[in-house]
């Protein structure tokens, strides 16, 4: 069974239809790359999956749990939404790190708040039932994550003292600190100088080998070809073409996909 | 009249200025926060109403507001407010309006991405406000609040228009009775010292918050 199931998502802002019936599914450990021209609805789709936008219709399910159902108002409650968000992680184009906290503090802030809340409610956090033990675990994991993204020596720096690439790697570690089922990236390298994109893409590649399930919206076509298991090409709020990188990128069938990719090939040649 | 007596008399007057200053700060800051919430409200009528009130208060002289608060109730409702109370009311309303605009500016300057980053990390609205946004707002408003608060101590002498026995009125009385001028100029020293201390305080806070940028 698929880990993530997205069915018939529809989203409009006023009269502008942005997502027109989007459906796809993703297995555990798979990497999905979403490509498409500007304004095709890629960001909106990720924001719907992370419950930053509420679709007008559709279903979002993780495992056998339905997280969102457009026809079920009970699924739209604040508390419900907040719990559901924890299934997903989100890495933004603009990093959005918390500037007043060090790298390390950025990583442990949300997990500590969550641990406190869960223990108060009589639940466990990461198998621990005392706050002290949970925090020890959170800290230990934060150190491991810093190592994973190669920023151990920047542990106590403030975001303003880091390069864009380093900031984005912190943002990735921060999202991973909550162990999401699916990690979403919205053009993670678009705000970076070209020479810094490599370090971020390499971190994402590294996550693939540790079996993270990921959705990456990207304009880096070669990255999508090399890393993704599945590629979706979006145009005007619909999935125009979907398949393996070989199918969609090497051998596109739709004229719109072909036109889009030929523009990129001209750049990279 | 010798120097020491004048110093003492003026100090008594300045006590009124300081009390007015402290009471205004104490009440105008929370009230300003409430007003800023109103002026950012999603409920359109509330927002329009709040912004109109703020516009009127900021668009008219504090001196006029002092007279309105003091004389109007007496004229129309036969309520006699105590002078000092009237001054506190006028100052609190006036400064709350100014503070509310500073708070609004500070809050609205926080990028939406900060809230969204909090949301996707499963944080509650209140957690995002207190753990993420608040310190950033404080950092942004320290300088304008410093300016406003320095203006406030100087503005307190406007209360003499409704005969609150603050320092400038005290000095004027001395000048009139003793036919000497220097006590009037001497009041400036008190303000200078007080403002100097405030300036240092705010410089200190700004330094404290300078450990990060953004
Ligand atoms: N909050 C909003 N209100 C109104 N319209 C919106 C809103 N958010 C997005 N849109 C519109 O939805 C459409 C899709 O936007 P979206 O940001 O999802 O595109 P995108 O594929 O991510 O584009 P890009 O490659 O430029 O990031 C655009 O036409 C945009 O103007
Ligand atoms: Mg986008």
């Amino acid at each position: 069974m698929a880990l993530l199931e997205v069915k018939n998502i529809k989203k409009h802002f006023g009269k502008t239809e942005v997502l027109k019936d989007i459906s796809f599914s993703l297995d555990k450990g798979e990497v999905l790359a979403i490509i498409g021209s500007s304004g095709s609805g890629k960001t909106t789709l990720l924001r719907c999956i992370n419950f930053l936008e509420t679709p007008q219709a559709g279903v979002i399910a993780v495992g056998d749990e339905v997280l969102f159902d457009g026809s079920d108002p009970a699924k739209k409650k604040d508390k419900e939404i907040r719990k559901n968000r924890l299934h997903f992680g989100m890495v933004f184009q603009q990093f959005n790190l918390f500037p007043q906290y060090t790298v390390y503090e950025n990583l442990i802030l949300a997990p500590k708040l969550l641990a406190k809340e869960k223990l108060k409610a009589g639940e466990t956090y990461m198998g621990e039932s005392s706050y002290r033990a949970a925090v020890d675990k959170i800290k230990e994991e934060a150190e491991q994550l810093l190592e994973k993204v190669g920023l151990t020596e920047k542990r106590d720096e403030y975001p303003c003292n880091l390069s864009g690439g380093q900031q984005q790697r912190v943002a990735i570690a921060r999202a991973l600190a909550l162990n999401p089922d699916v990690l979403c990236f919205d053009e993670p390298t678009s705000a970076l100088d070209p020479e810094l994109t490599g370090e971020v893409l390499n971190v994402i590649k590294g996550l693939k080998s540790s079996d993270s399930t990921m959705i990456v919206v990207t304009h880096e076509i070669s990255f999508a070809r090399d890393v993704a298991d599945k590629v979706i090409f979006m145009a005007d709020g619909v999935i125009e073409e979907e398949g393996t990188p070989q199918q969609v990128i090497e051998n596109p069938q739709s004229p719109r996909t072909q036109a889009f990719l030929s523009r990129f090939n001209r750049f990279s040649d | 009249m010798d120097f020491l007596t004048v110093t003492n008399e003026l100090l008594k007057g300045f006590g009124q200025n300081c009390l007015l200053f402290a009471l205004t700060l104490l009440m105008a800051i929370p009230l300003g926060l409430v007003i800023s919430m109103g002026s950012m409200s999603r409920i359109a009528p509330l927002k329009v109403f709040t912004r109109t009130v703020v516009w009127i208060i900021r668009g008219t002289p504090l001196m006029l507001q002092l007279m309105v608060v003091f004389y109007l109730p007496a004229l129309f409702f036969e309520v006699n407010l105590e002078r000092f109370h009237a001054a506190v009311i006028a100052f609190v309303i006036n400064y709350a309006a100014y503070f509310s605009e500073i708070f609004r500016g500070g809050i609205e300057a926080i990028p939406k991405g900060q809230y969204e980053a909090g949301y996707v990390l499963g944080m509650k609205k209140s957690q995002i406000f207190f753990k993420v946004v608040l310190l950033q707002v404080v950092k942004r408003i320290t300088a304008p609040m410093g300016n406003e608060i320095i203006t406030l101590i100087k503005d307190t002498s406007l209360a003499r228009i409704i005969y609150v026995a603050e320092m400038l009125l005290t000095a004027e009385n001395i000048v009139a009775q003793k036919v000497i001028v220097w006590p009037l100029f001497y009041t400036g020293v008190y303000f200078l010292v007080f403002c100097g201390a405030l300036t240092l305080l705010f410089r200190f806070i700004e330094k404290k918050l300078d450990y990060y940028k953004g």
Side-chain angles (χ1 to χ4, degrees):
Chain A
M1 200 186 65
L3 173 69
L4 171 67
E5 190 87 52
V6 172
K7 269 189 269 181
N8 310 108
I9 292 289
K10 294 193 176 93
K11 175 73 191 170
H12 56 81
F13 295 104
K15 284 213 165 77
T16 346
E17 267 189 281
V18 178
L19 299 176
K20 309 165 187 164
D21 204 26
I22 300 281
S23 303
F24 66 88
S25 67
L26 201 58
D27 287 333
K28 193 166 165 42
E30 271 189 326
V31 177
L32 165 66
I34 301 179
I35 57 174
S37 49
S38 186
S40 56
K42 308 179 298 292
T43 297
T44 308
L45 177 58
L46 281 194
R47 290 174 60 84
C48 286
I49 293 174
N50 281 277
F51 306 99
L52 290 173
E53 304 284 358
T54 311
Q56 275 84 21
V59 173
I60 298 170
V62 168
D64 48 14
E65 192 185 348
V66 175
L67 302 181
F68 176 84
D69 185 341
S71 56
D72 181 0
K75 297 270 177 216
K76 292 175 185 167
K77 292 206 184 90
D78 258 15
K79 200 167 170 214
E80 189 83 2
I81 288 173
R82 203 162 72 78
K83 204 177 86 211
N84 291 341
R85 282 198 178 115
L86 292 171
H87 288 284
F88 300 95
M90 176 82 158
V91 173
F92 299 90
Q93 195 173 341
Q94 300 296 339
F95 332 133
N96 294 343
L97 295 177
F98 304 135
Q100 74 267 45
Y101 293 122
T102 63
V103 167
Y104 181 68
E105 290 165 341
N106 263 278
L107 262 59
I108 62 173
L109 176 69
K112 273 172 76 177
L113 291 171
L114 189 64
K116 191 177 262 174
E117 191 182 343
K118 283 206 157 180
L119 295 173
K120 225 183 208 166
E123 298 168 48
T124 59
Y125 187 82
M126 292 168 78
E128 302 291 346
S129 51
S130 92
Y131 184 62
R132 188 56 75 74
V135 169
D136 282 346
K137 226 171 197 176
I138 288 166
K139 288 181 171 171
E140 194 183 311
E141 191 160 299
E143 306 280 1
Q144 286 168 7
L145 284 169
L146 282 179
E147 201 174 318
K148 204 172 191 171
V149 298
L151 287 173
T152 305
E153 74 278 22
K154 298 291 180 191
R155 184 183 183 281
D156 299 316
E157 288 285 356
Y158 289 93
C160 57
N161 298 326
L162 302 181
S163 73
Q166 290 168 336
Q167 288 190 50
Q168 193 59 299
R169 281 145 66 197
V170 176
I172 294 171
R174 182 176 70 172
L176 286 169
L178 287 164
N179 295 304
D181 296 316
V182 180
L183 186 52
C184 303
F185 298 82
D186 189 10
E187 302 192 29
T189 58
S190 290
L192 301 177
D193 291 337
E195 74 268 21
L196 298 177
T197 59
E199 59 185 71
V200 172
L201 295 179
N202 281 335
V203 166
I204 301 175
K205 257 184 226 169
L207 296 179
K208 179 185 162 83
S209 53
S210 57
D211 227 23
S212 298
T213 312
M214 296 186 278
I215 302 176
V216 188
V217 169
T218 186
H219 285 301
E220 305 277 340
I221 301 299
S222 59
F223 172 79
R225 182 178 49 213
D226 299 344
V227 179
D229 301 295
K230 223 178 193 175
V231 176
I232 283 177
F233 171 73
M234 278 182 72
D236 283 334
V238 297
I239 295 180
E240 178 77 13
E241 194 158 351
E242 160 174 31
T244 63
Q246 283 70 37
Q247 290 167 330
V248 179
I249 294 174
E250 306 288 356
N251 218 337
Q253 301 301 308
S254 146
R256 296 182 76 167
T257 320
Q258 290 165 357
F260 176 78
L261 288 169
S262 70
R263 244 181 308 154
F264 271 94
N265 290 337
R266 231 180 301 146
F267 280 128
S268 52
D269 287 346
Chain B
M1 209 173 198
D2 66 87
F3 183 72
L4 221 62
T5 328
V6 171
T7 303
N8 259 330
E9 286 293 304
L10 291 186
L11 208 55
K12 243 184 263 163
F14 197 55
Q16 293 286 294
N17 295 73
C18 290
L19 189 61
L20 185 53
F21 173 84
L23 289 174
T24 303
L25 273 191
L26 208 66
M27 291 186 266
I29 289 177
L31 182 60
L33 206 59
V34 173
I35 296 175
S36 72
M37 295 297 161
S39 66
M40 291 184 289
S41 171
R42 250 176 275 173
I43 308 161
L46 179 62
K47 183 170 107 174
V48 172
F49 173 77
T50 321
R51 291 196 180 190
T52 310
V53 171
V54 168
W55 172 69
I56 291 171
I57 295 171
R58 298 208 314 157
T60 53
L62 175 54
M63 203 185 273
L64 179 63
Q65 291 164 14
L66 278 162
M67 295 195 275
V68 167
V69 171
F70 183 59
Y71 294 117
L72 225 55
L75 273 177
F76 291 99
F77 311 104
E78 295 182 9
V79 178
N80 282 309
L81 276 178
E82 232 184 87
R83 295 170 191 286
F84 189 74
H85 293 170
V88 171
I89 293 170
F91 270 82
V92 167
I93 292 173
N94 182 277
Y95 271 83
Y98 278 95
F99 289 163
S100 80
E101 285 297 278
I102 294 177
F103 297 156
R104 183 165 73 86
I107 291 170
E108 286 180 344
I110 305 300
K112 214 175 70 193
Q114 291 289 304
Y115 294 92
E116 293 186 342
Y119 286 137
V120 297
L121 291 168
M123 292 166 74
K124 290 187 218 172
K125 274 193 180 122
S126 59
Q127 291 172 334
I128 295 172
F129 184 77
F130 287 109
K131 300 277 179 183
V132 176
V133 174
L134 185 60
L135 188 72
Q136 296 184 46
V137 174
V138 170
K139 182 178 164 103
R140 278 167 203 267
I141 67 174
T142 307
M145 280 301 276
N147 286 337
E148 211 57 53
I149 289 170
I150 285 169
T151 307
L152 170 60
I153 187 63
K154 292 178 286 181
D155 271 359
T156 53
S157 58
L158 287 175
R160 82 177 186 292
I161 203 73
I162 54 170
Y163 303 101
V164 170
E166 55 76 51
M167 182 169 53
L168 234 61
L169 189 70
T170 315
E172 278 170 355
N173 287 340
I174 297 171
V175 170
Q177 285 165 21
K178 311 285 172 189
V179 207
I180 42 172
V181 188
W182 63 267
L184 200 53
F185 303 123
Y186 183 32
T187 59
V189 176
Y190 291 79
F191 286 114
L192 277 175
V193 171
F194 199 97
C195 290
L198 281 178
T199 307
L200 289 179
L201 174 69
F202 276 94
R203 209 173 285 164
F204 172 77
I205 298 174
E206 275 181 57
K207 260 242 164 72
K208 272 267 159 206
L209 291 173
D210 210 30
Y211 71 90
Y212 78 89
K213 299 211 164 36

